[in-house]
Amino acid sequence: MAGNENEVNRSARSGRFVTEGTTERDPRHTTTEQVGNGGEQEVHRSASTGRFVTGTTAELHPSTTETQHV
């Protein structure tokens, strides 16, 4: 990986961060993401659940969503 990129693991069910051990034990219900380089793609997440939301949802609820560049 170049620069300040990192891999993070998330639960596909809750959207919350999980350990690498959890990912190894339950690969069907976890995802690994590359983060940190500030790429061009913009994604939106619920601040309370960590799940992805649509751009419309992010616009309607700016205080409870976060936008990331991946």
Side-chain angles (χ1 to χ4, degrees), residues 17-38:
F17 290 108
V18 297
T19 65
E20 192 166 329
T22 300
T23 302
E24 291 171 1
R25 286 189 306 276
D26 195 8
R28 290 183 53 208
H29 296 109
T30 55
T31 62
T32 300
E33 305 170 10
Q34 301 290 328
V35 296
N37 72 349

Side-chain angles (χ1 to χ4, degrees), residues 2-52:
N4 60 353
E5 289 181 2
N6 293 309
E7 284 187 348
V8 295
N9 305 300
R10 288 190 185 268
S11 165
R13 293 177 179 156
S14 69
R16 294 192 171 136
F17 290 108
V18 297
T19 65
E20 192 166 329
T22 300
T23 302
E24 291 171 1
R25 286 189 306 276
D26 195 8
R28 290 183 53 208
H29 296 109
T30 55
T31 62
T32 300
E33 305 170 10
Q34 301 290 328
V35 296
N37 72 349
E40 296 178 19
Q41 183 180 0
E42 188 173 81
V43 296
H44 311 282
R45 289 187 183 273
S46 165
S48 60
T49 66
R51 293 182 184 202
F52 288 107

